[in-house]
């Protein structure tokens, strides 16, 4: 019991260290630069306690829950030996986690406003809702495709830099032709798709696969799934902007 | 904050809804296709509950403590009367916005250090590399990248220069660095770009971008407010590659010096 308590205390301290910069930055700008007292100090302090406790529990659960889960899946699929099933799983995972992503819902709604203002779609609620939904579908399908591509790369041992650099060149080329108002949203859509639960799970899956397949190195082949998941949405949203304009 | 139990329940429900699709997909494939129980099912289930509760607590704390202050701060720092621009119609000098760049860099660094998904990837990288990648070194390299990226992104909003120039130029630097880097670090570096823009960083940075685009004359929040996330996802790739090139250069130099001294 005492060992458990000591371990918990250690983890809490490390969470505190993770959060120290953000507390310092906000306190510094509030007190020194803006010269204002905190609006509601008590609720800020209670909130900070929640953040620290939450981060501690999350990291504890990561090592005992999400990581083993991702590894168990990778081993299960590697034993099963069917690439098609593994790829189907990858697509579902990418699509399923992205379509419900709150950050993406927010960005898609803002993107619909931009499109309506620019005159690409009619400035009415129905057109905007349809546009936002279509955009979310596009991004979710592209993330599903990204995980498929990433898993395929791990299976085949393709070098990652060729695929990513190819993606960059594609983004560059599409930027030239895509309508200017979609470019900012497209670039941002790459960043918002990777959520806090998806990242550990997908990373554990990739590293687990690279570990269970003979001839693959976990560092060289295991990482990179997230990189694809943040690149393909940019390509697809740019293409979507060209099609709808 | 007075209504804590209710707020916590709300956060827990919305987190549970967010992870529901993942759970459905995992169960489906586990039961229908793999048909084999993972070895330590109970531990995994307990760990997953911890993740869920932890994330809910984390989010509720952020929404009550950090986000309101951070967002108010972003608004106040970008407000014209704080910047001290007397004649807005005459246009602005980018130097007037120095406190904004400083805040952008500081908050970009700080939110990245607190980002749980980056902690996860750093732990995984440390374990997969057998300790060759230092978890803290990686996180600091990524955070420095976000800091530089967000500050530069704010400069772009103030000056109104086109976003693609910056991002495409950044891609070319990334491509150059890729060919100078060791093969083992490249996939991790590419991943770190997408990982950083998550729960903590996105809301604060997005508020900063929208606030800045709304207050700088001649910018529209809808058109110019976007793009900061893109900066925050490209620059960490550069700093992680740069960090690894610098680290291997230093260790090579140390090795080549040793025999001479002996």
């Amino acid at each position: 019991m005492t060992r458990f308590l000591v371990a918990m205390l250690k983890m809490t301290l490390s969470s505190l260290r993770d959060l120290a910069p953000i507390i310092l930055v906000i306190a510094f700008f509030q007190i020194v630069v803006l010269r204002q007292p905190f609006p509601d100090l008590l609720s800020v302090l209670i909130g900070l306690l929640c953040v620290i406790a939450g981060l501690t529990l999350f990291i504890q659960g990561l090592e005992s829950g999400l990581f083993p889960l991702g590894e168990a899946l990778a081993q299960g699929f590697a034993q099963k030996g069917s690439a098609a099933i593994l790829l189907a799983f990858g697509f579902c995972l990418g699509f399923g986690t992205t379509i419900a992503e709150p950050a993406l819902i927010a960005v898609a709604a803002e993107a619909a406003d931009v499109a309506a203002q620019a005159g690409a779609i009619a400035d009415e609620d129905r057109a905007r809702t349809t546009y936002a939904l279509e955009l979310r579908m596009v991004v979710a399908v592209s993330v599903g495709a990204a995980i498929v591509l990433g898993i395929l790369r791990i299976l085949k041992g393709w070098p990652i830099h060729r695929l990513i650099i190819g993606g960059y060149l594609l983004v560059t080329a599409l930027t030239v032709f895509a309508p200017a108002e979609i470019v900012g949203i497209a670039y941002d859509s790459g960043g918002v798709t990777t959520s806090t639960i998806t990242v550990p799970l997908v990373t554990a899956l990739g590293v687990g696969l690279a570990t269970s397949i003979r001839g693959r190195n976990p560092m060289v082949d295991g990482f990179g799934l997230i990189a694809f998941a943040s690149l393909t949405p940019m390509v697809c949203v740019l293409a979507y902007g060209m099609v709808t304009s | 904050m007075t209504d804590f139990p209710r707020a916590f329940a709300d956060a827990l429900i919305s987190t549970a809804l967010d992870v529901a699709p993942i759970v459905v997909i995992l169960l489906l494939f586990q039961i229908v296709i793999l048909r084999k129980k993972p070895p330590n099912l109970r531990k995994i289930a307990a760990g997953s509950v911890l993740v869920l509760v932890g994330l809910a607590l984390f989010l509720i704390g952020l929404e009550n403590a950090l986000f309101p202050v951070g967002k108010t701060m972003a608004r106040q720092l970008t407000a014209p009367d704080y910047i001290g621009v007397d004649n807005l119609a005459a246009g602005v000098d980018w130097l007037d916005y120095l406190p904004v760049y400083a805040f952008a860099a500081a908050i970009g660094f700080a939110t990245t250090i607190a980002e749980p998904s980056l902690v996860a990837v750093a732990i995984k990288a440390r374990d997969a590399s057998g300790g060759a990648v230092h978890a803290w070194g990686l996180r600091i390299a990524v955070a420095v990248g976000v800091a530089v990226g967000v500050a530069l992104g704010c400069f772009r909003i103030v000056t109104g220069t086109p976003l693609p120039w910056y991002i495409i130029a950044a891609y070319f630097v990334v491509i150059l660095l890729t060919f100078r880097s060791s093969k083992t670090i490249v996939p991790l570096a590419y991943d770190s770009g997408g990982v950083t823009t998550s729960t903590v960083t996105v809301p604060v940075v997005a508020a900063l971008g929208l606030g800045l685009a709304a207050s700088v004359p001649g910018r529209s929040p809808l058109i110019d407010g976007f793009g900061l996330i893109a900066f925050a996802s490209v620059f960490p790739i550069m700093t992680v590659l740069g960090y690894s090139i610098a680290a291997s250069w230093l260790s090579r130099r140390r090795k080549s010096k040793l025999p001479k001294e002996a």
Side-chain angles (χ1 to χ4, degrees), chain B residues 145-156:
Chain B
V146 175
V148 174
V150 178
L152 196 63
C154 286
F155 171 78
R156 182 199 77 82

Side-chain angles (χ1 to χ4, degrees), chain A residues 17-19 21-22 25-26 29-30 33-34 36 38-39 43-44 46-48 50-51 53-55 57-69 71-73 76-77 79-80 85 88-89 92-93 96-97 100 102-103 107 110-111 113-114 117 153 160-161 164-165 168-169 171-172 175 181 183-185 187-188 191-192 194-201 203-204 207 217-220 223-227 230-231 234, chain B residues 1 4 17-19 21-22 25-26 29-30 33-34 36 38-40 43-44 47-48 50-51 53-55 57-58 60-62 64-66 69-70 73 76-77 82 99 102-103 106-107 109-111 113-117 119-121 123-125 128-129 133 136 139 163-164 167-168 171-172 174-175 178-179 183-188 190-191 193-195 197-200 202 210 222-223 225-230 233 237:
Chain A
R17 194 185 51 187
D18 293 343
L19 291 164
I22 202 169
V25 167
I26 287 192
F29 274 86
Q30 190 79 359
V33 179
L34 290 169
Q36 278 164 358
F38 276 95
S43 96
V44 170
I46 297 175
L48 274 180
C50 288
V51 171
L55 191 60
L57 291 178
F58 178 83
I59 290 171
Q60 178 66 41
L62 206 64
E63 305 218 38
S64 65
L66 282 189
F67 282 164
L69 182 63
E71 282 152 20
L73 280 168
F77 282 117
Q79 279 169 8
K80 193 90 189 165
I85 291 176
F89 172 75
C92 291
L93 191 66
T97 54
V107 165
E110 282 171 40
D113 287 344
V114 173
Q117 275 207 346
R153 176 191 89 85
I160 188 170
H161 64 270
I164 296 287
I165 291 172
Y168 285 166
L169 295 178
V171 168
T172 309
T175 301
E181 67 274 1
V183 170
I185 298 154
Y187 285 6
D188 274 5
V192 296
T194 43
S195 79
T196 310
I197 305 265
T198 322
V199 166
L201 201 59
T203 307
V207 173
N217 173 311
M219 279 306 282
V220 176
F223 289 92
L225 287 177
I226 307 290
S230 26
L231 186 60
M234 297 171 67
Chain B
M1 211 60 206
F4 179 77
L17 282 179
D18 291 348
V19 297
I22 310 185
I25 293 163
L26 290 182
F29 275 85
Q30 191 69 54
I33 302 195
L34 291 177
K36 211 179 80 181
N40 30 20
K43 204 178 157 201
I44 288 181
S48 305
L50 279 185
V51 164
V53 174
L55 199 57
L57 266 178
F58 188 72
I60 185 178
L62 285 181
N64 280 291
L66 293 175
V69 187
M73 214 170 257
Q76 285 171 336
L77 280 170
Y82 179 79
F103 176 71
I107 203 79
F109 182 90
T111 52
I113 292 290
E115 197 68 79
S117 41
V119 178
V121 168
I123 292 173
K124 209 68 207 165
S129 68
V133 172
W136 265 100
R139 287 170 65 189
L163 172 67
I167 301 297
I168 292 170
Y171 283 165
F172 277 99
V174 168
I175 294 174
T178 298
F179 288 108
K183 218 172 72 179
T184 48
I185 197 79
V186 168
L188 178 64
Y190 287 168
D191 266 4
V195 166
T197 45
S198 205
T199 328
V200 198
V202 169
L210 290 175
L222 282 178
I223 308 289
F226 291 101
L228 279 188
I229 310 290
S233 4
I237 307 182

Side-chain angles (χ1 to χ4, degrees), chain A residues 109-133:
Chain A
E110 282 171 40
D113 287 344
V114 173
Q117 275 207 346
I121 55 170
D123 199 356
E124 57 185 31
D125 278 348
R126 244 190 52 210
R128 270 193 290 239
T129 317
T130 321
Y131 184 89
L133 190 67

